[in-house]
Amino acid sequence: MPPFPKPKAETWRSRLWRWGFNLFPAYWGTGGRVVYIAPDWREVHVALPLNWRTRNYVGTLFGGSMYGAIDPVYMLMLIHNLGPDYVVWDKAATIRFRRPGRTTLYARFILTEEELQTIRRLACEQSSLDRVYPVELVDRLGVVYASFEKTLYVRKAKKE
């Protein structure tokens, strides 16, 4: 059972996005599963089980699967929330492995209205900006197994 409550029921549209996300070959290959997408794309939950696809040589979660499971989420959340007037790209990431993963791990991604307003304001004032988002993979009890910082590049789209 994931450690995070689902604050809003998924809509048929967000459920379709979740299914598509999980069937997309590049994401499917990570072993991660998107288990929840809020209707407004402001919250996403991911689960990463320990199984034959995610297990490394020493029997714990493969670090590449850990990163791959969380990699695209904030970029897609920003794209869905900011819309076509903005360009959003993943720019950098840092990872700190804290303990070997021997169970299913979970991540929760949240975008606030204040963060979206800040991005819109700064994008009008600057040619581009970088935003840093922390993410943690935790077990059912909330114990942290890996910490990430995702840096995303954002700018206003050029009008043609």
Side-chain angles (χ1 to χ4, degrees):
M1 189 63 137
F4 315 117
K6 295 176 182 176
K8 300 175 188 173
E10 285 184 310
T11 61
W12 66 270
R13 183 178 225 93
S14 63
R15 190 173 295 124
L16 278 175
W17 273 107
R18 179 172 50 83
W19 291 341
F21 206 113
N22 289 325
L23 291 172
F24 184 67
Y27 192 75
W28 181 87
T30 72
R33 301 279 304 160
V34 174
V35 294
Y36 173 74
I37 298 176
D40 59 5
W41 276 84
R42 300 233 179 130
E43 186 165 344
V44 174
H45 300 177
V46 168
L48 179 64
L50 176 64
N51 59 34
W52 68 272
R53 288 179 39 224
T54 61
R55 184 175 284 123
N56 64 19
Y57 184 76
V58 294
T60 62
L61 278 165
F62 174 57
S65 289
M66 292 172 128
Y67 178 69
I70 67 100
D71 177 37
V73 178
Y74 268 122
M75 184 179 89
L76 292 170
M77 290 172 74
L78 284 171
I79 288 170
H80 279 269
N81 276 278
L82 295 173
D85 292 338
Y86 294 83
V87 173
V88 180
W89 287 101
D90 278 318
K91 186 172 183 178
T94 60
I95 305 168
R96 179 157 184 228
F97 299 108
R98 297 182 176 272
R99 57 183 44 88
R102 293 188 171 95
T103 186
T104 299
L105 300 181
Y106 304 91
R108 182 182 190 191
F109 304 80
I110 295 177
L111 274 179
T112 64
E113 180 59 32
E114 294 77 25
E115 171 64 6
L116 294 169
Q117 288 176 4
T118 298
I119 290 171
R120 289 182 184 107
R121 180 179 50 78
L122 291 174
C124 289
E125 298 170 1
Q126 304 171 20
S127 60
S128 68
L129 59 136
D130 291 344
R131 302 300 289 173
V132 178
Y133 300 98
V135 181
E136 293 180 329
L137 278 172
V138 302
D139 67 10
R140 285 184 299 123
L141 301 174
V143 176
V144 178
Y145 285 73
S147 301
F148 306 84
E149 281 192 345
K150 293 283 299 175
T151 303
L152 283 92
Y153 165 92
V154 181
R155 70 169 169 81
K156 293 279 280 179
K158 294 178 180 159
K159 306 274 186 194
E160 291 186 30

